[in-house]
């Protein structure tokens, strides 16, 4: 289908919605790069109050619109324990499940573009051992949309260790519900997809991602397995089972047991890289010049509903559109918008029609795993949409 047709269809699909209408034409060409702080003062206040209320130690955030970063903020502390450190714009965060959409899904879709992966082909076509115990009919599309029927995670109730053991447990797992029947957000889906990327590329997921996703975008502060030289600017997460503060070591326990690299978690990145990634993606999706290493038509598939017919939990090929995880949309961003969150406190929500985005990076689990940014994400997105609306008045 031609790109122009795809873009026209996306716009027509939501043109009648009041929410979309109120966000249309937000940007004025004469708008200066230096943003007045007043429209975003409510956003800043939300962050300050959340830190005061102990929801997270600090945050780095940005709002973009029509190809520009129109606001950014740095709040609170990067570290509270074992010593206090101020948050900085260049802080590197454990991106948690944003790994799924920033790395694994686009890697899979690169093989799709090359004709090496078909969306409705069973995953066992690429990983024969995956067929065991009733998984033979689970397709690539079902893995990408979380309609596979697999359990949310591997069993962590006993002390297994090593990638080989994790892979063996995945291959031996059985679906909890029939494939295609129910939306269940599952790390196993993206562990499987990461393994397929490794099988088809002959590289580790970390190496493949660096060569085919991150380097083409010029992102040099994004990686798996951070080098020790980065530790001083990495936001720590929380104490592990041995009382060691995790810093530069992935927070997700399954990924940690598998060596720090997996399809569902393990990416570390910073605000500047995440903004650059997001802007490149939105530009490509809009048919504008962009270094993003996928075609616009592919990004359209990733960011529009691709779940089984008749299902009301809406997922793209990786991205969240309308599920109980979608509160990060806020009250005013249109139904054509999409995003994703990460357990450590990271989130990204994108509005393709206006090339808008809200990026929030926190280490809300620091230092004892008690933080909560669910309300923060919702409230910031709501305030951001209202602030963007004022820029054109």
């Amino acid at each position: 289908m031609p790109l122009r047709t795809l873009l026209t269809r996306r716009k027509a699909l939501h043109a009648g919605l009041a929410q979309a209408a109120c966000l249309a034409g937000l940007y004025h060409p004469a708008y200066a790069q230096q943003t007045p702080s007043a429209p975003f003062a409510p956003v800043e206040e939300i962050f300050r109050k959340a830190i005061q209320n102990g929801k997270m130690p600090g945050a780095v955030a940005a709002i973009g619109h029509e190809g520009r970063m129109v606001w950014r903020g740095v709040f609170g502390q990067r570290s509270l324990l074992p010593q206090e450190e101020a948050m900085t714009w260049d802080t590197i965060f454990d991106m948690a499940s944003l790994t799924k959409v920033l790395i694994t899904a686009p890697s899979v879709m690169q093989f799709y573009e090359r004709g090496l992966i078909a969306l409705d082909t069973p995953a066992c076509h690429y990983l024969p051992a995956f067929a065991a115990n009733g998984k033979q009919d689970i397709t690539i599309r079902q893995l990408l949309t979380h309609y596979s029927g697999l359990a949310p995670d591997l069993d962590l109730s006993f002390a297994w260790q090593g990638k080989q053991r994790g892979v063996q447990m995945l291959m031996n797992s059985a679906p909890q519900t029939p494939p295609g029947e129910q939306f269940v957000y599952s790390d196993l889906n993206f562990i499987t997809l990461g393994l397929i990327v490794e099988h088809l590329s002959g590289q580790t997921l970390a190496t493949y991602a660096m060569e085919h996703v991150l380097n083409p975008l010029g992102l040099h502060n994004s990686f798996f397995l951070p080098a020790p030289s980065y530790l001083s600017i990495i936001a720590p997460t929380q104490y592990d089972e041995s009382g060691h503060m995790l810093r530069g070591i992935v927070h997700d326990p399954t990924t940690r047991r598998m060596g720090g690299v997996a399809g569902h978690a393990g990416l570390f990145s910073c605000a500047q890289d995440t903004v650059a990634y997001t802007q490149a993606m939105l530009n490509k999706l809009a048919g504008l010049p962009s270094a993003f290493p996928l075609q616009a038509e592919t990004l359209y598939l990733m960011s529009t509903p691709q779940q089984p017919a008749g299902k009301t939990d809406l997922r793209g090929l990786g991205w969240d559109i309308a599920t109980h995880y979608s509160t990060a949309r806020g009250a005013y961003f249109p139904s054509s918008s999409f995003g994703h969150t990460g357990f450590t406190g990271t989130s990204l929500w994108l509005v393709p029609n206006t090339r808008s985005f809200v990026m929030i990076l926190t280490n809300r689990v620091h230092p004892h795993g008690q933080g909560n940014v669910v309300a923060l994400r919702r409230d910031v997105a709501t305030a951001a949409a209202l602030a963007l609306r004022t820029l054109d008045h």
Side-chain angles (χ1 to χ4, degrees):
M1 186 179 297
L3 172 58
R4 181 175 296 177
T5 303
L6 291 173
L7 296 176
T8 302
R9 179 177 294 180
R10 182 195 281 275
K11 290 178 181 177
L13 185 63
H14 302 284
L17 295 174
Q19 291 176 330
C22 76
L23 289 170
L26 291 171
Y27 181 73
H28 193 281
Y31 181 70
Q33 190 104 31
Q34 186 64 37
T35 307
S37 59
F40 299 100
V43 173
E44 296 167 2
E45 184 63 17
I46 292 166
F47 279 104
R48 284 193 289 267
K49 284 186 175 179
I51 292 170
Q52 289 171 7
N53 292 333
K55 300 300 184 181
M56 75 278 195
V60 179
I63 297 170
H65 190 59
E66 294 287 7
R68 293 176 184 264
M69 181 167 58
V70 296
W71 172 86
R72 74 178 197 178
V74 179
F75 305 92
Q77 303 295 107
R78 173 164 65 206
S79 173
L80 298 176
L81 294 174
Q83 65 274 328
E84 288 195 4
E85 299 172 26
M87 186 65 78
T88 59
W89 175 253
D90 65 349
T91 295
I92 293 174
F93 291 84
D94 180 337
M95 302 295 279
S97 282
L98 285 184
T99 305
K100 295 178 171 76
V101 289
L102 299 181
I103 296 297
T104 308
S107 297
V108 168
M109 297 309 289
Q110 287 179 338
F111 288 100
Y112 164 81
E113 286 188 347
R114 293 166 57 190
L116 298 176
I117 282 180
L119 296 176
D120 297 308
T121 294
C124 64
H125 177 78
Y126 312 100
L127 292 176
F130 185 74
N133 295 320
K135 300 190 299 299
Q136 68 278 357
D137 295 327
I138 295 174
T139 66
I140 298 297
R141 185 189 302 271
Q142 289 164 348
L143 293 173
L144 285 164
T145 58
H146 294 285
Y147 276 86
S148 68
L150 293 177
D153 200 356
L154 294 176
D155 186 356
L156 298 172
S157 65
F158 65 100
W160 62 270
Q161 196 70 35
K163 179 179 178 179
Q164 186 173 352
R165 184 62 192 277
V167 171
Q168 180 185 44
M169 292 170 65
L170 170 63
M171 298 306 165
N172 290 338
S173 67
Q176 295 185 328
T177 59
E181 183 177 283
Q182 185 179 346
F183 168 73
V184 176
Y185 182 82
S186 170
D187 288 344
L188 301 193
N189 294 327
F190 276 77
I191 296 175
T192 305
L193 292 166
L195 294 173
I196 290 173
V197 170
E198 292 186 336
H199 174 72
L200 293 177
S201 68
Q203 298 176 300
T204 66
L205 181 63
T207 300
Y208 182 88
M210 189 67 72
E211 292 184 6
H212 298 277
V213 179
L214 299 172
N215 284 350
L217 291 169
L219 307 183
H220 302 302
N221 293 305
S222 302
F223 29 64
F224 292 82
L225 303 171
S229 58
Y230 286 96
L231 289 184
S232 64
I233 59 169
I234 292 177
T237 51
Q238 73 181 94
Y239 292 104
D240 67 9
E241 303 82 357
S242 304
H244 172 72
M245 178 61 73
L246 295 171
R247 187 167 196 169
I249 298 172
V250 65
H251 177 269
D252 177 78
T254 303
T255 311
R256 211 180 326 142
R257 293 188 191 193
M258 294 181 69
V261 179
H264 69 295
L267 177 68
F268 286 77
S269 188
C270 64
Q272 194 65 46
D273 276 10
T274 306
V275 167
Y277 184 110
T278 304
Q279 290 176 322
M281 180 179 170
L282 287 170
N283 286 343
K284 179 61 74 76
L285 193 51
L288 298 171
S290 170
F292 199 88
L294 283 172
Q295 299 169 15
E297 294 88 344
T298 305
L299 290 175
Y300 180 84
L301 291 176
M302 295 178 69
S303 58
T304 56
Q306 303 294 326
Q307 72 288 335
K311 301 301 180 182
T312 56
D313 285 302
L314 308 184
R315 300 288 297 202
L317 300 178
W319 291 96
D320 181 32
I321 298 170
T323 68
H324 58 279
Y325 294 100
S326 304
T327 54
R329 179 195 308 280
Y332 299 115
F333 283 138
S335 58
S336 58
S337 63
F338 59 93
H340 211 280
T341 62
F343 186 83
T344 52
T346 56
S347 64
L348 189 59
W349 204 266
L350 301 86
V351 186
N353 291 348
T354 54
R355 287 186 293 145
S356 305
F357 67 85
V358 176
M359 178 206 71
I360 301 172
L361 303 181
T362 82
N363 54 336
R364 64 100 187 165
V365 294
H366 180 74
H368 300 298
Q370 301 302 311
N372 189 317
V373 293
V374 174
L376 172 91
R377 291 166 175 157
R378 179 198 65 217
D379 294 345
V380 167
T382 298
L386 292 172
L388 292 176
R389 192 188 304 179
T390 69
L391 296 184
D392 203 35
H393 292 84

